PDB file of all heavy atoms in Angstrom:
ATOM      1  N   ASP A  40       6.071  11.734   8.221  1.00 89.00           N
ATOM      2  CA  ASP A  40       4.849  12.419   7.833  1.00 89.00           C
ATOM      3  C   ASP A  40       3.867  12.485   9.005  1.00 89.00           C
ATOM      4  O   ASP A  40       2.674  12.261   8.851  1.00 89.00           O
ATOM      5  CB  ASP A  40       4.222  11.726   6.617  1.00 89.00           C
ATOM      6  CG  ASP A  40       3.390  12.684   5.782  1.00 89.00           C
ATOM      7  OD1 ASP A  40       3.560  13.906   5.932  1.00 89.00           O
ATOM      8  OD2 ASP A  40       2.556  12.214   5.005  1.00 89.00           O
ATOM      9  N   LEU A  41       4.394  12.779  10.203  1.00 91.00           N
ATOM     10  CA  LEU A  41       3.554  12.866  11.401  1.00 91.00           C
ATOM     11  C   LEU A  41       2.730  14.143  11.345  1.00 91.00           C
ATOM     12  O   LEU A  41       3.270  15.236  11.172  1.00 91.00           O
ATOM     13  CB  LEU A  41       4.422  12.848  12.659  1.00 91.00           C
ATOM     14  CG  LEU A  41       5.261  11.582  12.863  1.00 91.00           C
ATOM     15  CD1 LEU A  41       6.185  11.742  14.052  1.00 91.00           C
ATOM     16  CD2 LEU A  41       4.376  10.374  13.042  1.00 91.00           C
ATOM     17  N   GLN A  42       1.421  13.979  11.486  1.00 93.00           N
ATOM     18  CA  GLN A  42       0.514  15.116  11.388  1.00 93.00           C
ATOM     19  C   GLN A  42      -0.758  14.815  12.154  1.00 93.00           C
ATOM     20  O   GLN A  42      -1.114  13.658  12.332  1.00 93.00           O
ATOM     21  CB  GLN A  42       0.189  15.389   9.923  1.00 93.00           C
ATOM     22  CG  GLN A  42      -0.350  14.184   9.176  1.00 93.00           C
ATOM     23  CD  GLN A  42      -0.339  14.380   7.683  1.00 93.00           C
ATOM     24  OE1 GLN A  42      -0.605  15.471   7.217  1.00 93.00           O
ATOM     25  NE2 GLN A  42      -0.021  13.349   6.934  1.00 93.00           N
ATOM     26  N   GLY A  43      -1.408  15.854  12.609  1.00 94.00           N
ATOM     27  CA  GLY A  43      -2.653  15.655  13.332  1.00 94.00           C
ATOM     28  C   GLY A  43      -3.052  16.876  14.114  1.00 94.00           C
ATOM     29  O   GLY A  43      -2.630  17.999  13.829  1.00 94.00           O
ATOM     30  N   VAL A  44      -3.869  16.659  15.138  1.00 95.00           N
ATOM     31  CA  VAL A  44      -4.373  17.719  15.994  1.00 95.00           C
ATOM     32  C   VAL A  44      -3.846  17.456  17.402  1.00 95.00           C
ATOM     33  O   VAL A  44      -4.155  16.420  17.989  1.00 95.00           O
ATOM     34  CB  VAL A  44      -5.914  17.752  15.986  1.00 95.00           C
ATOM     35  CG1 VAL A  44      -6.435  18.794  16.964  1.00 95.00           C
ATOM     36  CG2 VAL A  44      -6.441  18.019  14.577  1.00 95.00           C
ATOM     37  N   GLY A  45      -3.039  18.377  17.904  1.00 93.00           N
ATOM     38  CA  GLY A  45      -2.441  18.179  19.223  1.00 93.00           C
ATOM     39  C   GLY A  45      -1.595  16.920  19.235  1.00 93.00           C
ATOM     40  O   GLY A  45      -0.737  16.716  18.383  1.00 93.00           O
ATOM     41  N   MET A  46      -1.869  16.049  20.196  1.00 95.00           N
ATOM     42  CA  MET A  46      -1.095  14.812  20.341  1.00 95.00           C
ATOM     43  C   MET A  46      -1.727  13.627  19.590  1.00 95.00           C
ATOM     44  O   MET A  46      -1.221  12.520  19.673  1.00 95.00           O
ATOM     45  CB  MET A  46      -0.959  14.449  21.818  1.00 95.00           C
ATOM     46  CG  MET A  46      -0.150  15.433  22.613  1.00 95.00           C
ATOM     47  SD  MET A  46       1.607  15.284  22.268  1.00 95.00           S
ATOM     48  CE  MET A  46       2.247  16.400  23.496  1.00 95.00           C
ATOM     49  N   LYS A  47      -2.828  13.856  18.876  1.00 97.00           N
ATOM     50  CA  LYS A  47      -3.472  12.771  18.116  1.00 97.00           C
ATOM     51  C   LYS A  47      -3.024  12.870  16.658  1.00 97.00           C
ATOM     52  O   LYS A  47      -3.257  13.886  15.995  1.00 97.00           O
ATOM     53  CB  LYS A  47      -4.987  12.854  18.227  1.00 97.00           C
ATOM     54  CG  LYS A  47      -5.465  12.500  19.618  1.00 97.00           C
ATOM     55  CD  LYS A  47      -6.924  12.152  19.606  1.00 97.00           C
ATOM     56  CE  LYS A  47      -7.269  11.613  20.988  1.00 97.00           C
ATOM     57  NZ  LYS A  47      -8.397  10.739  20.956  1.00 97.00           N
ATOM     58  N   LEU A  48      -2.393  11.812  16.177  1.00 96.00           N
ATOM     59  CA  LEU A  48      -1.784  11.813  14.847  1.00 96.00           C
ATOM     60  C   LEU A  48      -2.502  10.852  13.911  1.00 96.00           C
ATOM     61  O   LEU A  48      -3.036   9.829  14.335  1.00 96.00           O
ATOM     62  CB  LEU A  48      -0.316  11.416  14.952  1.00 96.00           C
ATOM     63  CG  LEU A  48       0.521  12.185  15.971  1.00 96.00           C
ATOM     64  CD1 LEU A  48       1.914  11.605  16.052  1.00 96.00           C
ATOM     65  CD2 LEU A  48       0.567  13.663  15.625  1.00 96.00           C
ATOM     66  N   THR A  49      -2.456  11.170  12.613  1.00 96.00           N
ATOM     67  CA  THR A  49      -3.075  10.328  11.597  1.00 96.00           C
ATOM     68  C   THR A  49      -2.315  10.442  10.282  1.00 96.00           C
ATOM     69  O   THR A  49      -1.488  11.338  10.113  1.00 96.00           O
ATOM     70  CB  THR A  49      -4.554  10.723  11.383  1.00 96.00           C
ATOM     71  OG1 THR A  49      -5.141   9.789  10.474  1.00 96.00           O
ATOM     72  CG2 THR A  49      -4.701  12.117  10.819  1.00 96.00           C
ATOM     73  N   ASP A  50      -2.631   9.556   9.358  1.00 93.00           N
ATOM     74  CA  ASP A  50      -2.095   9.591   7.992  1.00 93.00           C
ATOM     75  C   ASP A  50      -0.570   9.649   7.976  1.00 93.00           C
ATOM     76  O   ASP A  50       0.035  10.418   7.248  1.00 93.00           O
ATOM     77  CB  ASP A  50      -2.699  10.774   7.230  1.00 93.00           C
ATOM     78  CG  ASP A  50      -2.515  10.641   5.724  1.00 93.00           C
ATOM     79  OD1 ASP A  50      -2.361   9.500   5.244  1.00 93.00           O
ATOM     80  OD2 ASP A  50      -2.503  11.675   5.031  1.00 93.00           O
ATOM     81  N   VAL A  51       0.057   8.809   8.799  1.00 94.00           N
ATOM     82  CA  VAL A  51       1.512   8.783   8.895  1.00 94.00           C
ATOM     83  C   VAL A  51       2.094   7.901   7.790  1.00 94.00           C
ATOM     84  O   VAL A  51       1.378   7.138   7.140  1.00 94.00           O
ATOM     85  CB  VAL A  51       1.977   8.276  10.284  1.00 94.00           C
ATOM     86  CG1 VAL A  51       1.424   9.156  11.384  1.00 94.00           C
ATOM     87  CG2 VAL A  51       1.595   6.829  10.508  1.00 94.00           C
ATOM     88  N   GLY A  52       3.381   8.012   7.596  1.00 93.00           N
ATOM     89  CA  GLY A  52       4.093   7.167   6.646  1.00 93.00           C
ATOM     90  C   GLY A  52       5.230   6.452   7.353  1.00 93.00           C
ATOM     91  O   GLY A  52       5.606   6.816   8.474  1.00 93.00           O
ATOM     92  N   ILE A  53       5.768   5.450   6.699  1.00 94.00           N
ATOM     93  CA  ILE A  53       6.935   4.736   7.220  1.00 94.00           C
ATOM     94  C   ILE A  53       7.944   4.570   6.098  1.00 94.00           C
ATOM     95  O   ILE A  53       7.599   4.144   5.000  1.00 94.00           O
ATOM     96  CB  ILE A  53       6.557   3.353   7.796  1.00 94.00           C
ATOM     97  CG1 ILE A  53       5.668   3.508   9.037  1.00 94.00           C
ATOM     98  CG2 ILE A  53       7.809   2.540   8.136  1.00 94.00           C
ATOM     99  CD1 ILE A  53       5.245   2.191   9.679  1.00 94.00           C
ATOM    100  N   ALA A  54       9.179   4.919   6.395  1.00 93.00           N
ATOM    101  CA  ALA A  54      10.285   4.691   5.465  1.00 93.00           C
ATOM    102  C   ALA A  54      11.141   3.565   6.035  1.00 93.00           C
ATOM    103  O   ALA A  54      11.382   3.516   7.243  1.00 93.00           O
ATOM    104  CB  ALA A  54      11.118   5.958   5.304  1.00 93.00           C
ATOM    105  N   THR A  55      11.560   2.663   5.171  1.00 94.00           N
ATOM    106  CA  THR A  55      12.470   1.595   5.574  1.00 94.00           C
ATOM    107  C   THR A  55      13.652   1.582   4.611  1.00 94.00           C
ATOM    108  O   THR A  55      13.579   2.155   3.527  1.00 94.00           O
ATOM    109  CB  THR A  55      11.788   0.206   5.529  1.00 94.00           C
ATOM    110  OG1 THR A  55      11.293  -0.016   4.203  1.00 94.00           O
ATOM    111  CG2 THR A  55      10.662   0.101   6.531  1.00 94.00           C
ATOM    112  N   LEU A  56      14.700   0.906   5.019  1.00 92.00           N
ATOM    113  CA  LEU A  56      15.802   0.693   4.093  1.00 92.00           C
ATOM    114  C   LEU A  56      15.281  -0.138   2.926  1.00 92.00           C
ATOM    115  O   LEU A  56      14.204  -0.742   3.018  1.00 92.00           O
ATOM    116  CB  LEU A  56      16.949  -0.024   4.794  1.00 92.00           C
ATOM    117  CG  LEU A  56      17.622   0.768   5.919  1.00 92.00           C
ATOM    118  CD1 LEU A  56      18.767  -0.034   6.524  1.00 92.00           C
ATOM    119  CD2 LEU A  56      18.137   2.108   5.416  1.00 92.00           C
ATOM    120  N   ALA A  57      16.021  -0.192   1.842  1.00 84.00           N
ATOM    121  CA  ALA A  57      15.567  -0.867   0.620  1.00 84.00           C
ATOM    122  C   ALA A  57      15.111  -2.300   0.873  1.00 84.00           C
ATOM    123  O   ALA A  57      14.136  -2.757   0.294  1.00 84.00           O
ATOM    124  CB  ALA A  57      16.678  -0.840  -0.423  1.00 84.00           C
ATOM    125  N   LYS A  58      15.798  -2.998   1.766  1.00 86.00           N
ATOM    126  CA  LYS A  58      15.461  -4.400   2.026  1.00 86.00           C
ATOM    127  C   LYS A  58      14.282  -4.543   2.988  1.00 86.00           C
ATOM    128  O   LYS A  58      13.811  -5.637   3.246  1.00 86.00           O
ATOM    129  CB  LYS A  58      16.682  -5.130   2.569  1.00 86.00           C
ATOM    130  CG  LYS A  58      17.172  -4.567   3.892  1.00 86.00           C
ATOM    131  CD  LYS A  58      18.464  -5.196   4.341  1.00 86.00           C
ATOM    132  CE  LYS A  58      18.904  -4.514   5.617  1.00 86.00           C
ATOM    133  NZ  LYS A  58      20.258  -4.666   5.938  1.00 86.00           N
ATOM    134  N   GLY A  59      13.802  -3.411   3.533  1.00 87.00           N
ATOM    135  CA  GLY A  59      12.714  -3.466   4.508  1.00 87.00           C
ATOM    136  C   GLY A  59      13.256  -3.696   5.902  1.00 87.00           C
ATOM    137  O   GLY A  59      14.466  -3.677   6.137  1.00 87.00           O
ATOM    138  N   TYR A  60      12.341  -3.904   6.841  1.00 90.00           N
ATOM    139  CA  TYR A  60      12.732  -4.145   8.225  1.00 90.00           C
ATOM    140  C   TYR A  60      11.852  -5.248   8.786  1.00 90.00           C
ATOM    141  O   TYR A  60      10.638  -5.089   8.876  1.00 90.00           O
ATOM    142  CB  TYR A  60      12.590  -2.868   9.064  1.00 90.00           C
ATOM    143  CG  TYR A  60      12.940  -3.060  10.513  1.00 90.00           C
ATOM    144  CD1 TYR A  60      14.253  -3.260  10.904  1.00 90.00           C
ATOM    145  CD2 TYR A  60      11.954  -3.064  11.494  1.00 90.00           C
ATOM    146  CE1 TYR A  60      14.585  -3.451  12.233  1.00 90.00           C
ATOM    147  CE2 TYR A  60      12.276  -3.249  12.838  1.00 90.00           C
ATOM    148  CZ  TYR A  60      13.603  -3.450  13.193  1.00 90.00           C
ATOM    149  OH  TYR A  60      13.936  -3.641  14.514  1.00 90.00           O
ATOM    150  N   LYS A  61      12.465  -6.376   9.113  1.00 89.00           N
ATOM    151  CA  LYS A  61      11.755  -7.539   9.661  1.00 89.00           C
ATOM    152  C   LYS A  61      10.539  -7.915   8.808  1.00 89.00           C
ATOM    153  O   LYS A  61       9.445  -8.138   9.308  1.00 89.00           O
ATOM    154  CB  LYS A  61      11.334  -7.271  11.109  1.00 89.00           C
ATOM    155  CG  LYS A  61      12.518  -7.103  12.047  1.00 89.00           C
ATOM    156  CD  LYS A  61      12.075  -7.026  13.479  1.00 89.00           C
ATOM    157  CE  LYS A  61      13.291  -6.950  14.384  1.00 89.00           C
ATOM    158  NZ  LYS A  61      12.955  -6.969  15.792  1.00 89.00           N
ATOM    159  N   GLY A  62      10.748  -7.928   7.500  1.00 86.00           N
ATOM    160  CA  GLY A  62       9.687  -8.321   6.574  1.00 86.00           C
ATOM    161  C   GLY A  62       8.722  -7.208   6.213  1.00 86.00           C
ATOM    162  O   GLY A  62       7.816  -7.404   5.416  1.00 86.00           O
ATOM    163  N   PHE A  63       8.898  -6.024   6.771  1.00 88.00           N
ATOM    164  CA  PHE A  63       7.988  -4.905   6.515  1.00 88.00           C
ATOM    165  C   PHE A  63       8.661  -3.896   5.601  1.00 88.00           C
ATOM    166  O   PHE A  63       9.782  -3.485   5.844  1.00 88.00           O
ATOM    167  CB  PHE A  63       7.598  -4.228   7.832  1.00 88.00           C
ATOM    168  CG  PHE A  63       6.720  -3.029   7.659  1.00 88.00           C
ATOM    169  CD1 PHE A  63       5.364  -3.192   7.457  1.00 88.00           C
ATOM    170  CD2 PHE A  63       7.247  -1.747   7.678  1.00 88.00           C
ATOM    171  CE1 PHE A  63       4.536  -2.085   7.288  1.00 88.00           C
ATOM    172  CE2 PHE A  63       6.436  -0.641   7.508  1.00 88.00           C
ATOM    173  CZ  PHE A  63       5.075  -0.816   7.314  1.00 88.00           C
ATOM    174  N   LYS A  64       7.967  -3.508   4.538  1.00 88.00           N
ATOM    175  CA  LYS A  64       8.469  -2.453   3.649  1.00 88.00           C
ATOM    176  C   LYS A  64       7.574  -1.243   3.805  1.00 88.00           C
ATOM    177  O   LYS A  64       6.354  -1.353   3.761  1.00 88.00           O
ATOM    178  CB  LYS A  64       8.477  -2.916   2.206  1.00 88.00           C
ATOM    179  CG  LYS A  64       9.666  -3.784   1.885  1.00 88.00           C
ATOM    180  CD  LYS A  64       9.941  -3.736   0.410  1.00 88.00           C
ATOM    181  CE  LYS A  64      11.316  -4.296   0.165  1.00 88.00           C
ATOM    182  NZ  LYS A  64      12.054  -3.596  -0.811  1.00 88.00           N
ATOM    183  N   GLY A  65       8.180  -0.087   3.976  1.00 88.00           N
ATOM    184  CA  GLY A  65       7.423   1.138   4.168  1.00 88.00           C
ATOM    185  C   GLY A  65       6.825   1.678   2.886  1.00 88.00           C
ATOM    186  O   GLY A  65       7.044   1.130   1.802  1.00 88.00           O
ATOM    187  N   ASN A  66       6.086   2.769   3.010  1.00 89.00           N
ATOM    188  CA  ASN A  66       5.445   3.404   1.864  1.00 89.00           C
ATOM    189  C   ASN A  66       6.106   4.732   1.500  1.00 89.00           C
ATOM    190  O   ASN A  66       5.584   5.468   0.669  1.00 89.00           O
ATOM    191  CB  ASN A  66       3.950   3.613   2.138  1.00 89.00           C
ATOM    192  CG  ASN A  66       3.680   4.540   3.309  1.00 89.00           C
ATOM    193  OD1 ASN A  66       4.522   4.743   4.172  1.00 89.00           O
ATOM    194  ND2 ASN A  66       2.487   5.097   3.347  1.00 89.00           N
ATOM    195  N   CYS A  67       7.232   5.059   2.123  1.00 90.00           N
ATOM    196  CA  CYS A  67       7.958   6.295   1.842  1.00 90.00           C
ATOM    197  C   CYS A  67       9.381   5.964   1.393  1.00 90.00           C
ATOM    198  O   CYS A  67       9.914   4.909   1.716  1.00 90.00           O
ATOM    199  CB  CYS A  67       8.005   7.180   3.081  1.00 90.00           C
ATOM    200  SG  CYS A  67       6.404   7.771   3.614  1.00 90.00           S
ATOM    201  N   SER A  68       9.977   6.885   0.701  1.00 88.00           N
ATOM    202  CA  SER A  68      11.325   6.716   0.160  1.00 88.00           C
ATOM    203  C   SER A  68      12.376   6.595   1.264  1.00 88.00           C
ATOM    204  O   SER A  68      12.260   7.213   2.320  1.00 88.00           O
ATOM    205  CB  SER A  68      11.655   7.908  -0.733  1.00 88.00           C
ATOM    206  OG  SER A  68      13.026   7.953  -1.032  1.00 88.00           O
ATOM    207  N   ILE A  69      13.414   5.833   0.977  1.00 90.00           N
ATOM    208  CA  ILE A  69      14.550   5.704   1.902  1.00 90.00           C
ATOM    209  C   ILE A  69      15.204   7.070   2.145  1.00 90.00           C
ATOM    210  O   ILE A  69      15.818   7.290   3.186  1.00 90.00           O
ATOM    211  CB  ILE A  69      15.587   4.692   1.345  1.00 90.00           C
ATOM    212  CG1 ILE A  69      16.663   4.414   2.388  1.00 90.00           C
ATOM    213  CG2 ILE A  69      16.198   5.179   0.061  1.00 90.00           C
ATOM    214  CD1 ILE A  69      17.632   3.328   1.975  1.00 90.00           C
ATOM    215  N   SER A  70      15.030   8.014   1.215  1.00 90.00           N
ATOM    216  CA  SER A  70      15.632   9.343   1.376  1.00 90.00           C
ATOM    217  C   SER A  70      15.118  10.038   2.636  1.00 90.00           C
ATOM    218  O   SER A  70      15.799  10.884   3.203  1.00 90.00           O
ATOM    219  CB  SER A  70      15.381  10.216   0.150  1.00 90.00           C
ATOM    220  OG  SER A  70      14.001  10.513   0.030  1.00 90.00           O
ATOM    221  N   PHE A  71      13.911   9.679   3.104  1.00 89.00           N
ATOM    222  CA  PHE A  71      13.389  10.281   4.329  1.00 89.00           C
ATOM    223  C   PHE A  71      14.257   9.895   5.526  1.00 89.00           C
ATOM    224  O   PHE A  71      14.445  10.694   6.438  1.00 89.00           O
ATOM    225  CB  PHE A  71      11.946   9.857   4.594  1.00 89.00           C
ATOM    226  CG  PHE A  71      10.979  10.306   3.523  1.00 89.00           C
ATOM    227  CD1 PHE A  71       9.809   9.610   3.323  1.00 89.00           C
ATOM    228  CD2 PHE A  71      11.229  11.397   2.726  1.00 89.00           C
ATOM    229  CE1 PHE A  71       8.908  10.008   2.350  1.00 89.00           C
ATOM    230  CE2 PHE A  71      10.337  11.807   1.753  1.00 89.00           C
ATOM    231  CZ  PHE A  71       9.169  11.113   1.570  1.00 89.00           C
ATOM    232  N   ILE A  72      14.780   8.665   5.509  1.00 91.00           N
ATOM    233  CA  ILE A  72      15.666   8.227   6.590  1.00 91.00           C
ATOM    234  C   ILE A  72      16.960   9.027   6.534  1.00 91.00           C
ATOM    235  O   ILE A  72      17.451   9.518   7.553  1.00 91.00           O
ATOM    236  CB  ILE A  72      15.948   6.713   6.506  1.00 91.00           C
ATOM    237  CG1 ILE A  72      14.664   5.915   6.757  1.00 91.00           C
ATOM    238  CG2 ILE A  72      17.037   6.303   7.495  1.00 91.00           C
ATOM    239  CD1 ILE A  72      14.807   4.411   6.586  1.00 91.00           C
ATOM    240  N   GLU A  73      17.506   9.184   5.331  1.00 90.00           N
ATOM    241  CA  GLU A  73      18.748   9.934   5.168  1.00 90.00           C
ATOM    242  C   GLU A  73      18.574  11.392   5.595  1.00 90.00           C
ATOM    243  O   GLU A  73      19.427  11.956   6.275  1.00 90.00           O
ATOM    244  CB  GLU A  73      19.209   9.849   3.714  1.00 90.00           C
ATOM    245  CG  GLU A  73      19.560   8.433   3.296  1.00 90.00           C
ATOM    246  CD  GLU A  73      19.563   8.224   1.783  1.00 90.00           C
ATOM    247  OE1 GLU A  73      19.262   9.183   1.029  1.00 90.00           O
ATOM    248  OE2 GLU A  73      19.832   7.090   1.359  1.00 90.00           O
ATOM    249  N   GLN A  74      17.445  11.992   5.196  1.00 88.00           N
ATOM    250  CA  GLN A  74      17.178  13.382   5.568  1.00 88.00           C
ATOM    251  C   GLN A  74      17.025  13.523   7.074  1.00 88.00           C
ATOM    252  O   GLN A  74      17.544  14.464   7.672  1.00 88.00           O
ATOM    253  CB  GLN A  74      15.902  13.884   4.887  1.00 88.00           C
ATOM    254  CG  GLN A  74      16.055  14.098   3.409  1.00 88.00           C
ATOM    255  CD  GLN A  74      14.729  14.400   2.737  1.00 88.00           C
ATOM    256  OE1 GLN A  74      13.687  14.481   3.375  1.00 88.00           O
ATOM    257  NE2 GLN A  74      14.766  14.557   1.427  1.00 88.00           N
ATOM    258  N   PHE A  75      16.305  12.591   7.679  1.00 89.00           N
ATOM    259  CA  PHE A  75      16.114  12.654   9.124  1.00 89.00           C
ATOM    260  C   PHE A  75      17.461  12.567   9.834  1.00 89.00           C
ATOM    261  O   PHE A  75      17.755  13.361  10.727  1.00 89.00           O
ATOM    262  CB  PHE A  75      15.188  11.533   9.605  1.00 89.00           C
ATOM    263  CG  PHE A  75      15.049  11.492  11.100  1.00 89.00           C
ATOM    264  CD1 PHE A  75      14.248  12.408  11.759  1.00 89.00           C
ATOM    265  CD2 PHE A  75      15.750  10.560  11.857  1.00 89.00           C
ATOM    266  CE1 PHE A  75      14.143  12.410  13.146  1.00 89.00           C
ATOM    267  CE2 PHE A  75      15.645  10.549  13.236  1.00 89.00           C
ATOM    268  CZ  PHE A  75      14.839  11.479  13.883  1.00 89.00           C
ATOM    269  N   ARG A  76      18.281  11.629   9.417  1.00 90.00           N
ATOM    270  CA  ARG A  76      19.594  11.441  10.044  1.00 90.00           C
ATOM    271  C   ARG A  76      20.426  12.719   9.931  1.00 90.00           C
ATOM    272  O   ARG A  76      21.116  13.103  10.861  1.00 90.00           O
ATOM    273  CB  ARG A  76      20.296  10.258   9.382  1.00 90.00           C
ATOM    274  CG  ARG A  76      21.595   9.863  10.029  1.00 90.00           C
ATOM    275  CD  ARG A  76      22.176   8.586   9.453  1.00 90.00           C
ATOM    276  NE  ARG A  76      22.247   8.607   8.015  1.00 90.00           N
ATOM    277  CZ  ARG A  76      21.881   7.591   7.226  1.00 90.00           C
ATOM    278  NH1 ARG A  76      21.423   6.480   7.743  1.00 90.00           N
ATOM    279  NH2 ARG A  76      21.979   7.678   5.923  1.00 90.00           N
ATOM    280  N   ALA A  77      20.328  13.401   8.803  1.00 88.00           N
ATOM    281  CA  ALA A  77      21.129  14.605   8.587  1.00 88.00           C
ATOM    282  C   ALA A  77      20.546  15.848   9.266  1.00 88.00           C
ATOM    283  O   ALA A  77      21.295  16.714   9.706  1.00 88.00           O
ATOM    284  CB  ALA A  77      21.258  14.863   7.085  1.00 88.00           C
ATOM    285  N   LEU A  78      19.217  15.932   9.379  1.00 85.00           N
ATOM    286  CA  LEU A  78      18.586  17.169   9.826  1.00 85.00           C
ATOM    287  C   LEU A  78      18.062  17.161  11.262  1.00 85.00           C
ATOM    288  O   LEU A  78      17.802  18.221  11.815  1.00 85.00           O
ATOM    289  CB  LEU A  78      17.416  17.522   8.893  1.00 85.00           C
ATOM    290  CG  LEU A  78      17.770  17.735   7.422  1.00 85.00           C
ATOM    291  CD1 LEU A  78      16.509  17.958   6.601  1.00 85.00           C
ATOM    292  CD2 LEU A  78      18.731  18.911   7.259  1.00 85.00           C
ATOM    293  N   HIS A  79      17.890  16.000  11.868  1.00 88.00           N
ATOM    294  CA  HIS A  79      17.281  15.944  13.205  1.00 88.00           C
ATOM    295  C   HIS A  79      18.128  16.679  14.238  1.00 88.00           C
ATOM    296  O   HIS A  79      19.342  16.508  14.297  1.00 88.00           O
ATOM    297  CB  HIS A  79      17.093  14.499  13.653  1.00 88.00           C
ATOM    298  CG  HIS A  79      16.603  14.377  15.069  1.00 88.00           C
ATOM    299  ND1 HIS A  79      15.329  14.743  15.440  1.00 88.00           N
ATOM    300  CD2 HIS A  79      17.218  13.961  16.197  1.00 88.00           C
ATOM    301  CE1 HIS A  79      15.180  14.543  16.742  1.00 88.00           C
ATOM    302  NE2 HIS A  79      16.310  14.067  17.225  1.00 88.00           N
ATOM    303  N   GLN A  80      17.458  17.509  15.028  1.00 88.00           N
ATOM    304  CA  GLN A  80      18.111  18.190  16.136  1.00 88.00           C
ATOM    305  C   GLN A  80      17.463  17.681  17.420  1.00 88.00           C
ATOM    306  O   GLN A  80      16.256  17.814  17.602  1.00 88.00           O
ATOM    307  CB  GLN A  80      17.937  19.697  16.023  1.00 88.00           C
ATOM    308  CG  GLN A  80      18.647  20.274  14.825  1.00 88.00           C
ATOM    309  CD  GLN A  80      18.421  21.773  14.695  1.00 88.00           C
ATOM    310  OE1 GLN A  80      17.685  22.379  15.464  1.00 88.00           O
ATOM    311  NE2 GLN A  80      19.064  22.374  13.712  1.00 88.00           N
ATOM    312  N   CYS A  81      18.259  17.092  18.282  1.00 91.00           N
ATOM    313  CA  CYS A  81      17.730  16.560  19.539  1.00 91.00           C
ATOM    314  C   CYS A  81      17.144  17.688  20.383  1.00 91.00           C
ATOM    315  O   CYS A  81      17.574  18.831  20.294  1.00 91.00           O
ATOM    316  CB  CYS A  81      18.826  15.842  20.323  1.00 91.00           C
ATOM    317  SG  CYS A  81      19.258  14.242  19.613  1.00 91.00           S
TER     318      CYS A  81
END
């Protein structure tokens, strides 16, 4: 959920796997990770 003006970003989200990552749980669905993996073009 990267958004902002130019290179300055705000109101981002974080998706983690169900178990979290190093004690941190994100605020977005794990499906965002799956979608990114499937749709990202380098």
Side-chain angles (χ1 to χ4, degrees):
D40 207 18
L41 298 174
Q42 54 194 322
V44 176
M46 294 286 187
K47 290 198 172 205
L48 309 175
T49 185
D50 197 24
V51 301
I53 294 180
T55 57
L56 295 181
K58 62 186 177 199
Y60 178 71
K61 295 188 176 184
F63 177 81
K64 280 203 165 220
N66 62 339
C67 295
S68 167
I69 188 174
S70 67
F71 297 155
I72 294 175
E73 296 160 359
Q74 289 172 2
F75 175 77
R76 186 173 51 225
L78 300 175
H79 174 70
Q80 294 178 357
C81 286

